[in-house]
Amino acid sequence: MTEEILEETALAPSELIELFKHRSATYGLLSRLYAKEVDDELHDTLWPIETGTDAGDTGNRLITTYLSGIWENTLTELAADYMRTFFGHGYSGHAAAYPFESVYSSEKRLLMQSARDEVLALYRAAGLSKQESWKEGEDHIALELEYLQILSDRTAEALCKGDTDTATSWVRAQYNFLDVHLDSWAPLLTAEVKKFAKTDFYRGLAFLTEGFLETDREVLEELLAED
């Protein structure tokens, strides 16, 4: 018998819909920040991500403080720090905070390992395929975050239609993905981002990611908890 999890929550349907829309927007922003360098368009749309955690507060403070000191070469500085932080000066397995799950889940810190195959299978099962313009592995953190953004959107859409069974299945899928994949390696990545980043912007992004994922896991656990 299917548990009517989302029907039993204390949140009203409209509040649940807004919750998943907000989660989607946050996952979308984090995904974009990891996908490529900051540009003028993105810079103008950045906003604080409230997580209710010490890590999240630290991340917001670091990013806000950094952006308060904008100068004519800020975007150039951020682009250089992005490349240095996530790709270093060549791949050695330990020279940067490489943003791929395989690096952290394989013994020899190699790219394109079983983690990549596993997330690719999940993407395809959800009817998703990567854009031709994306040249990196499917286990890049930007794609894993975007996957959760898409599932959050689908949850909100199901709730708008009153389809709580479908919404519940998408919530379970998100929790399972966090549990098996993102939460198993994102803390390792963010620890290395703090190590390699030279700007408070990317150090702040590491803290912010930690804070949000911690809070989001708790949100999903609460929604899926049986009375």
Side-chain angles (χ1 to χ4, degrees):
M1 180 177 180
T2 302
E3 296 172 347
E4 297 298 338
I5 295 168
L6 296 181
E7 288 185 347
E8 297 174 358
T9 180
L11 295 176
S14 60
E15 293 174 320
L16 273 174
I17 292 168
E18 288 305 309
L19 168 65
F20 284 100
K21 287 182 177 179
H22 179 73
R23 290 178 66 254
S24 170
T26 302
Y27 272 115
L29 175 59
L30 291 175
S31 172
R32 169 60 186 83
L33 289 173
Y34 282 105
K36 59 182 180 179
E37 302 92 329
V38 175
D39 55 23
D40 283 314
E41 180 179 357
L42 178 64
H43 176 269
D44 292 339
T45 61
L46 290 172
W47 73 88
I49 297 174
E50 300 301 330
T51 68
T53 65
D54 291 340
D57 291 344
T58 298
N60 279 319
R61 176 177 54 78
L62 289 171
I63 292 175
T64 300
T65 301
Y66 176 83
L67 293 178
S68 69
I70 288 176
W71 60 304
E72 60 183 7
N73 289 326
T74 292
L75 292 182
T76 301
E77 181 179 67
L78 287 175
D81 199 34
Y82 178 88
M83 292 303 297
R84 174 176 47 241
T85 300
F86 296 111
F87 297 98
H89 300 292
Y91 183 75
S92 72
H94 297 276
Y98 297 105
F100 302 95
E101 182 177 350
S102 291
V103 173
Y104 300 91
S105 60
S106 62
E107 184 177 350
K108 296 183 178 180
R109 292 176 64 90
L110 300 176
L111 298 172
M112 307 295 282
Q113 300 301 299
S114 60
R116 176 260 183 186
D117 298 335
E118 291 169 7
V119 297
L120 177 58
L122 289 171
Y123 300 160
R124 288 175 174 171
L128 303 172
S129 59
K130 70 176 184 179
Q131 298 178 350
E132 292 185 3
S133 59
W134 182 262
K135 304 302 182 183
E136 306 293 347
E138 288 84 355
D139 58 341
H140 192 290
I141 190 170
L143 289 193
E144 294 199 6
L145 292 166
E146 185 179 12
Y147 176 67
L148 288 170
Q149 175 192 12
I150 292 170
L151 296 195
S152 190
D153 281 335
R154 291 184 178 182
T155 306
E157 291 169 3
L159 289 169
C160 285
K161 297 175 182 177
D163 186 352
T164 55
D165 282 347
T166 298
T168 296
S169 69
W170 287 128
V171 173
R172 288 192 184 280
Q174 291 169 74
Y175 179 80
N176 290 338
F177 189 80
L178 275 173
D179 187 49
V180 175
H181 290 284
L182 202 54
D183 279 351
S184 71
W185 72 280
L188 302 174
L189 170 67
T190 55
E192 294 205 330
V193 171
K194 296 173 192 176
K195 173 183 174 182
F196 289 105
K198 301 301 182 184
T199 65
D200 279 346
F201 183 91
Y202 283 109
R203 282 194 288 267
L205 175 60
F207 280 104
L208 199 56
T209 303
E210 289 177 1
F212 176 69
L213 291 180
E214 176 186 340
T215 299
D216 197 53
R217 183 185 181 93
E218 292 174 355
V219 168
L220 295 180
E221 284 179 343
E222 184 175 346
L223 287 174
L224 291 172
E226 295 179 4
D227 288 343

